[in-house]
Amino acid sequence: MERPLPVLVGRRVLLREPEETDAEALFQHASDPEVTRFLAFDPPSTIDETLHFIVRCHEHRRQDHEHLFVIADVARDVALGITGLRHIDRELSTAQIGTWLARSWWGSGVNEEAKELILDYAFTTLKLHRIEARIVEGNDRSERAFERLGATCEGRLRESFAKHGEFLDSHLYAILAGEWQSRRRPRSARADDRPGA
């Protein structure tokens, strides 16, 4: 995908392609061990690691492997976290969703709104059929958030997550295009009209 990602605008957040100017905020948020506790990566040790992550986001988008967006405050356009689609398979019409958010925004509803925007993008713009989430056992907040969006837990993936030499089980969640379309709530979110969107 050569074109930049669209800008997706909701009530309180917007989703857009990561930029180098986001590095400092993302570095600060991801440096919190609680934020990365259930993620496959550890807190970054330098801001250069975060800059390298942003470069990789652009490379993977061009290869159509991943579409990762910054979650930003709609009023100030300040980075709060990351959401996106990984392991995009056009033939099977599937992808995996993942999100992380600064701890100061936990419980605010921002996570759910960001996931609504990314699911609309996945099913409407990309025309995918199935979106999955692999949620590490014990990450109850993420499970509840995805369940509220209509996802179904389809089973346990034994020792499918590895971190610090420990293998943990994950729960496989999924939501299908038809399920999402049937439960969509009217909202003001739209693709932004700015150039390059």
Side-chain angles (χ1 to χ4, degrees):
M1 180 178 180
E2 289 300 324
R3 297 182 60 205
L5 295 174
V7 178
L8 309 176
V9 183
R11 297 177 301 276
R12 290 180 297 169
V13 300
L14 62 84
L15 307 185
R16 58 166 172 76
E17 194 144 28
E19 302 166 355
E20 286 189 5
T21 53
D22 297 314
E24 185 173 347
L26 293 175
F27 173 72
Q28 292 298 326
H29 301 326
S31 294
D32 181 347
E34 280 300 301
V35 169
T36 59
R37 179 181 171 197
F38 294 111
L39 301 176
F41 65 91
D42 290 323
S45 56
T46 66
I47 198 166
D48 284 343
E49 290 181 22
T50 304
L51 286 165
H52 182 62
F53 162 76
I54 291 170
V55 169
R56 284 200 333 267
C57 287
H58 291 239
E59 291 173 355
H60 291 170
R61 184 257 301 154
R62 285 192 291 271
Q63 297 164 1
D64 205 27
H65 296 322
E66 297 181 354
H67 293 187
L68 298 183
F69 293 80
V70 158
I71 304 169
D73 179 291
V74 76
R76 299 176 299 137
D77 195 13
V78 175
L80 311 176
I82 294 287
T83 191
L85 302 169
R86 298 177 181 269
H87 307 294
I88 298 170
D89 189 320
R90 297 288 190 165
E91 289 186 17
L92 295 178
S93 196
T94 64
Q96 288 182 19
I97 191 172
T99 304
W100 65 263
L101 190 65
R103 190 175 358 174
S104 58
W105 289 88
W106 291 4
S108 68
V110 163
N111 180 25
E112 186 170 346
E113 185 177 341
K115 280 190 170 68
E116 287 177 345
L117 290 168
I118 202 73
L119 287 169
D120 266 349
Y121 172 73
F123 291 128
T124 304
T125 303
L126 299 185
K127 309 292 186 192
L128 297 177
H129 178 69
R130 175 184 167 93
I131 302 300
E132 300 177 354
R134 295 183 173 201
I135 301 175
V136 181
E137 192 168 59
N139 190 355
D140 300 332
R141 295 172 63 90
S142 288
E143 289 188 353
R144 288 194 301 270
F146 210 35
E147 287 169 355
R148 283 195 299 270
L149 292 169
T152 299
C153 182
E154 298 184 336
R156 180 188 303 273
L157 302 172
R158 297 180 305 147
E159 298 188 3
S160 58
F161 180 81
K163 191 160 187 177
H164 303 148
E166 185 179 8
F167 290 92
L168 303 172
D169 293 354
S170 299
H171 293 145
L172 176 64
Y173 280 81
I175 185 167
L176 306 179
E179 295 169 341
W180 179 248
Q181 296 298 334
S182 69
R183 71 176 307 280
R184 283 177 67 191
R185 296 186 299 273
R187 46 183 185 76
S188 60
R190 59 178 175 79
D192 192 70
D193 295 325
R194 284 184 275 179

Short mmCIF file of all heavy atoms in Angstrom, two decimals, residues 11 111-113 115-117 119-120 123-124 143-152 174-187:
data_model
loop_
_atom_site.label_atom_id
_atom_site.label_comp_id
_atom_site.label_asym_id
_atom_site.label_seq_id
_atom_site.Cartn_x
_atom_site.Cartn_y
_atom_site.Cartn_z
N ARG A 11 -15.05 10.99 18.03
CA ARG A 11 -15.51 12.06 18.92
C ARG A 11 -14.37 12.66 19.72
O ARG A 11 -14.27 13.87 19.88
CB ARG A 11 -16.59 11.52 19.88
CG ARG A 11 -17.85 11.04 19.19
CD ARG A 11 -18.83 10.46 20.18
NE ARG A 11 -18.31 9.33 20.94
CZ ARG A 11 -18.31 8.07 20.50
NH1 ARG A 11 -18.78 7.79 19.31
NH2 ARG A 11 -17.83 7.10 21.24
N ASN A 111 -9.88 3.65 24.38
CA ASN A 111 -9.54 2.36 23.78
C ASN A 111 -10.69 1.84 22.93
O ASN A 111 -10.51 1.42 21.79
CB ASN A 111 -9.18 1.36 24.87
CG ASN A 111 -8.82 -0.01 24.32
OD1 ASN A 111 -8.40 -0.15 23.19
ND2 ASN A 111 -9.00 -1.03 25.15
N GLU A 112 -11.89 1.88 23.47
CA GLU A 112 -13.05 1.38 22.75
C GLU A 112 -13.32 2.20 21.50
O GLU A 112 -13.60 1.65 20.43
CB GLU A 112 -14.29 1.37 23.66
CG GLU A 112 -15.49 0.72 23.01
CD GLU A 112 -16.63 0.51 23.99
OE1 GLU A 112 -16.42 0.63 25.22
OE2 GLU A 112 -17.75 0.23 23.53
N GLU A 113 -13.21 3.52 21.61
CA GLU A 113 -13.45 4.36 20.44
C GLU A 113 -12.41 4.11 19.35
O GLU A 113 -12.74 4.05 18.16
CB GLU A 113 -13.44 5.84 20.83
CG GLU A 113 -13.80 6.75 19.66
CD GLU A 113 -13.88 8.21 20.05
OE1 GLU A 113 -14.02 8.53 21.24
OE2 GLU A 113 -13.79 9.05 19.14
N LYS A 115 -10.80 1.33 18.84
CA LYS A 115 -11.09 0.03 18.23
C LYS A 115 -12.30 0.12 17.29
O LYS A 115 -12.34 -0.56 16.26
CB LYS A 115 -11.33 -1.02 19.31
CG LYS A 115 -10.04 -1.59 19.91
CD LYS A 115 -10.34 -2.79 20.79
CE LYS A 115 -9.07 -3.52 21.19
NZ LYS A 115 -8.21 -2.76 22.09
N GLU A 116 -13.30 0.93 17.64
CA GLU A 116 -14.43 1.12 16.72
C GLU A 116 -13.95 1.69 15.39
O GLU A 116 -14.37 1.22 14.32
CB GLU A 116 -15.46 2.07 17.34
CG GLU A 116 -16.26 1.47 18.47
CD GLU A 116 -17.23 2.48 19.09
OE1 GLU A 116 -17.07 3.70 18.83
OE2 GLU A 116 -18.13 2.04 19.82
N LEU A 117 -13.08 2.68 15.46
CA LEU A 117 -12.57 3.30 14.23
C LEU A 117 -11.77 2.30 13.40
O LEU A 117 -11.91 2.24 12.17
CB LEU A 117 -11.70 4.51 14.58
CG LEU A 117 -12.42 5.74 15.14
CD1 LEU A 117 -11.42 6.74 15.70
CD2 LEU A 117 -13.29 6.39 14.07
N LEU A 119 -11.94 -1.00 13.47
CA LEU A 119 -12.80 -2.06 12.94
C LEU A 119 -13.61 -1.57 11.75
O LEU A 119 -13.77 -2.30 10.76
CB LEU A 119 -13.71 -2.60 14.04
CG LEU A 119 -13.02 -3.48 15.08
CD1 LEU A 119 -13.96 -3.75 16.26
CD2 LEU A 119 -12.54 -4.80 14.47
N ASP A 120 -14.11 -0.35 11.82
CA ASP A 120 -14.79 0.23 10.65
C ASP A 120 -13.85 0.27 9.45
O ASP A 120 -14.23 -0.06 8.32
CB ASP A 120 -15.29 1.64 10.96
CG ASP A 120 -16.72 1.67 11.44
OD1 ASP A 120 -17.41 0.63 11.35
OD2 ASP A 120 -17.16 2.73 11.91
N PHE A 123 -13.27 -3.39 8.09
CA PHE A 123 -14.39 -4.02 7.41
C PHE A 123 -14.93 -3.19 6.25
O PHE A 123 -15.42 -3.75 5.26
CB PHE A 123 -15.53 -4.30 8.40
CG PHE A 123 -15.19 -5.37 9.41
CD1 PHE A 123 -15.35 -5.14 10.77
CD2 PHE A 123 -14.72 -6.61 9.00
CE1 PHE A 123 -15.05 -6.14 11.70
CE2 PHE A 123 -14.41 -7.60 9.93
CZ PHE A 123 -14.58 -7.37 11.28
N THR A 124 -14.85 -1.88 6.32
CA THR A 124 -15.43 -1.02 5.29
C THR A 124 -14.40 -0.64 4.22
O THR A 124 -14.65 -0.81 3.02
CB THR A 124 -16.03 0.25 5.92
OG1 THR A 124 -16.98 -0.14 6.92
CG2 THR A 124 -16.72 1.10 4.88
N GLU A 143 -9.88 -8.13 27.29
CA GLU A 143 -10.93 -9.08 26.94
C GLU A 143 -12.30 -8.42 27.06
O GLU A 143 -13.14 -8.55 26.16
CB GLU A 143 -10.85 -10.31 27.84
CG GLU A 143 -9.65 -11.19 27.53
CD GLU A 143 -9.67 -12.50 28.29
OE1 GLU A 143 -10.56 -12.69 29.16
OE2 GLU A 143 -8.82 -13.35 27.99
N ARG A 144 -12.53 -7.70 28.14
CA ARG A 144 -13.83 -7.04 28.33
C ARG A 144 -14.06 -5.98 27.25
O ARG A 144 -15.18 -5.84 26.74
CB ARG A 144 -13.91 -6.41 29.72
CG ARG A 144 -14.05 -7.43 30.85
CD ARG A 144 -14.47 -6.77 32.14
NE ARG A 144 -13.53 -5.75 32.58
CZ ARG A 144 -12.49 -5.98 33.38
NH1 ARG A 144 -12.25 -7.20 33.81
NH2 ARG A 144 -11.69 -4.99 33.74
N ALA A 145 -13.00 -5.24 26.90
CA ALA A 145 -13.14 -4.19 25.88
C ALA A 145 -13.54 -4.79 24.54
O ALA A 145 -14.41 -4.25 23.84
CB ALA A 145 -11.84 -3.41 25.76
N PHE A 146 -12.92 -5.90 24.16
CA PHE A 146 -13.22 -6.51 22.86
C PHE A 146 -14.59 -7.18 22.89
O PHE A 146 -15.32 -7.16 21.89
CB PHE A 146 -12.11 -7.49 22.48
CG PHE A 146 -11.91 -7.62 20.99
CD1 PHE A 146 -12.08 -6.54 20.14
CD2 PHE A 146 -11.55 -8.83 20.44
CE1 PHE A 146 -11.90 -6.66 18.77
CE2 PHE A 146 -11.36 -8.97 19.07
CZ PHE A 146 -11.54 -7.88 18.23
N GLU A 147 -14.96 -7.74 24.01
CA GLU A 147 -16.30 -8.34 24.14
C GLU A 147 -17.38 -7.28 23.99
O GLU A 147 -18.42 -7.53 23.38
CB GLU A 147 -16.43 -9.06 25.48
CG GLU A 147 -15.66 -10.37 25.55
CD GLU A 147 -15.57 -10.94 26.95
OE1 GLU A 147 -16.04 -10.27 27.92
OE2 GLU A 147 -15.02 -12.04 27.12
N ARG A 148 -17.14 -6.09 24.54
CA ARG A 148 -18.14 -5.00 24.42
C ARG A 148 -18.35 -4.60 22.97
O ARG A 148 -19.40 -4.08 22.61
CB ARG A 148 -17.70 -3.78 25.24
CG ARG A 148 -17.93 -3.93 26.73
CD ARG A 148 -17.84 -2.60 27.45
NE ARG A 148 -16.53 -1.98 27.31
CZ ARG A 148 -15.51 -2.18 28.15
NH1 ARG A 148 -15.64 -3.01 29.18
NH2 ARG A 148 -14.36 -1.56 27.96
N LEU A 149 -17.36 -4.84 22.13
CA LEU A 149 -17.47 -4.51 20.71
C LEU A 149 -18.11 -5.65 19.90
O LEU A 149 -18.27 -5.53 18.69
CB LEU A 149 -16.09 -4.18 20.14
CG LEU A 149 -15.49 -2.88 20.68
CD1 LEU A 149 -14.03 -2.77 20.28
CD2 LEU A 149 -16.27 -1.68 20.18
N GLY A 150 -18.48 -6.73 20.57
CA GLY A 150 -19.17 -7.82 19.90
C GLY A 150 -18.31 -9.00 19.53
O GLY A 150 -18.78 -9.92 18.84
N ALA A 151 -17.05 -9.03 19.96
CA ALA A 151 -16.17 -10.15 19.63
C ALA A 151 -16.53 -11.38 20.46
O ALA A 151 -17.04 -11.28 21.58
CB ALA A 151 -14.71 -9.78 19.86
N THR A 152 -16.23 -12.54 19.92
CA THR A 152 -16.50 -13.82 20.57
C THR A 152 -15.18 -14.50 20.91
O THR A 152 -14.25 -14.54 20.08
CB THR A 152 -17.30 -14.73 19.62
OG1 THR A 152 -18.54 -14.11 19.32
CG2 THR A 152 -17.55 -16.10 20.25
N ALA A 174 -12.56 -13.18 18.05
CA ALA A 174 -12.77 -12.80 16.66
C ALA A 174 -14.12 -12.12 16.50
O ALA A 174 -15.06 -12.37 17.26
CB ALA A 174 -12.69 -14.02 15.74
N ILE A 175 -14.17 -11.26 15.51
CA ILE A 175 -15.43 -10.63 15.10
C ILE A 175 -15.48 -10.64 13.57
O ILE A 175 -14.45 -10.40 12.92
CB ILE A 175 -15.57 -9.20 15.68
CG1 ILE A 175 -16.95 -8.63 15.35
CG2 ILE A 175 -14.44 -8.29 15.22
CD1 ILE A 175 -17.29 -7.38 16.14
N LEU A 176 -16.63 -10.96 13.02
CA LEU A 176 -16.81 -11.08 11.58
C LEU A 176 -17.47 -9.82 11.03
O LEU A 176 -18.17 -9.09 11.75
CB LEU A 176 -17.66 -12.30 11.25
CG LEU A 176 -17.19 -13.63 11.82
CD1 LEU A 176 -18.15 -14.75 11.41
CD2 LEU A 176 -15.77 -13.96 11.36
N ALA A 177 -17.26 -9.57 9.74
CA ALA A 177 -17.79 -8.36 9.11
C ALA A 177 -19.29 -8.23 9.31
O ALA A 177 -19.80 -7.16 9.66
CB ALA A 177 -17.44 -8.36 7.62
N GLY A 178 -20.03 -9.31 9.11
CA GLY A 178 -21.48 -9.26 9.26
C GLY A 178 -21.91 -8.95 10.67
O GLY A 178 -22.89 -8.21 10.89
N GLU A 179 -21.17 -9.48 11.65
CA GLU A 179 -21.48 -9.20 13.05
C GLU A 179 -21.25 -7.73 13.37
O GLU A 179 -22.04 -7.10 14.06
CB GLU A 179 -20.61 -10.08 13.95
CG GLU A 179 -20.92 -11.56 13.81
CD GLU A 179 -19.89 -12.44 14.50
OE1 GLU A 179 -18.76 -11.97 14.78
OE2 GLU A 179 -20.22 -13.61 14.75
N TRP A 180 -20.16 -7.19 12.84
CA TRP A 180 -19.84 -5.79 13.09
C TRP A 180 -20.88 -4.87 12.44
O TRP A 180 -21.37 -3.95 13.06
CB TRP A 180 -18.44 -5.46 12.59
CG TRP A 180 -18.07 -4.02 12.78
CD1 TRP A 180 -17.88 -3.07 11.82
CD2 TRP A 180 -17.85 -3.36 14.03
NE1 TRP A 180 -17.55 -1.88 12.39
CE2 TRP A 180 -17.52 -2.02 13.75
CE3 TRP A 180 -17.89 -3.79 15.37
CZ2 TRP A 180 -17.25 -1.09 14.75
CZ3 TRP A 180 -17.62 -2.86 16.36
CH2 TRP A 180 -17.29 -1.53 16.05
N GLN A 181 -21.21 -5.16 11.19
CA GLN A 181 -22.17 -4.31 10.48
C GLN A 181 -23.54 -4.32 11.16
O GLN A 181 -24.23 -3.31 11.20
CB GLN A 181 -22.31 -4.76 9.02
CG GLN A 181 -21.04 -4.61 8.19
CD GLN A 181 -20.56 -3.17 8.07
OE1 GLN A 181 -21.34 -2.24 8.17
NE2 GLN A 181 -19.26 -2.99 7.87
N SER A 182 -23.92 -5.46 11.72
CA SER A 182 -25.26 -5.57 12.32
C SER A 182 -25.35 -4.85 13.66
O SER A 182 -26.45 -4.56 14.13
CB SER A 182 -25.65 -7.04 12.50
OG SER A 182 -24.85 -7.64 13.49
N ARG A 183 -24.22 -4.55 14.28
CA ARG A 183 -24.28 -3.92 15.61
C ARG A 183 -23.68 -2.51 15.64
O ARG A 183 -23.60 -1.89 16.69
CB ARG A 183 -23.55 -4.79 16.64
CG ARG A 183 -22.04 -4.80 16.48
CD ARG A 183 -21.36 -5.59 17.58
NE ARG A 183 -21.73 -5.16 18.90
CZ ARG A 183 -21.24 -4.09 19.54
NH1 ARG A 183 -20.37 -3.31 18.93
NH2 ARG A 183 -21.61 -3.80 20.76
N ARG A 184 -23.28 -2.01 14.49
CA ARG A 184 -22.69 -0.67 14.45
C ARG A 184 -23.65 0.37 15.00
O ARG A 184 -24.83 0.36 14.68
CB ARG A 184 -22.32 -0.28 13.02
CG ARG A 184 -21.05 -0.92 12.54
CD ARG A 184 -20.79 -0.55 11.10
NE ARG A 184 -20.50 0.86 10.97
CZ ARG A 184 -20.43 1.50 9.81
NH1 ARG A 184 -20.65 0.86 8.69
NH2 ARG A 184 -20.16 2.78 9.76
N ARG A 185 -23.10 1.27 15.80
CA ARG A 185 -23.90 2.37 16.32
C ARG A 185 -23.61 3.60 15.47
O ARG A 185 -22.47 3.82 15.08
CB ARG A 185 -23.52 2.66 17.78
CG ARG A 185 -23.82 1.51 18.71
CD ARG A 185 -23.55 1.92 20.15
NE ARG A 185 -22.16 2.29 20.37
CZ ARG A 185 -21.21 1.42 20.69
NH1 ARG A 185 -21.50 0.14 20.80
NH2 ARG A 185 -19.98 1.82 20.90
N PRO A 186 -24.62 4.42 15.22
CA PRO A 186 -24.34 5.67 14.50
C PRO A 186 -23.36 6.52 15.30
O PRO A 186 -23.49 6.63 16.52
CB PRO A 186 -25.70 6.36 14.43
CG PRO A 186 -26.70 5.29 14.69
CD PRO A 186 -26.03 4.28 15.56
N ARG A 187 -22.37 7.07 14.67
CA ARG A 187 -21.42 7.95 15.33
C ARG A 187 -20.87 8.93 14.33
O ARG A 187 -21.07 8.80 13.14
CB ARG A 187 -20.30 7.17 16.02
CG ARG A 187 -19.70 6.09 15.20
CD ARG A 187 -18.64 5.33 15.98
NE ARG A 187 -18.03 4.39 15.08
CZ ARG A 187 -17.15 4.73 14.17
NH1 ARG A 187 -16.76 5.95 14.04
NH2 ARG A 187 -16.67 3.82 13.35
#
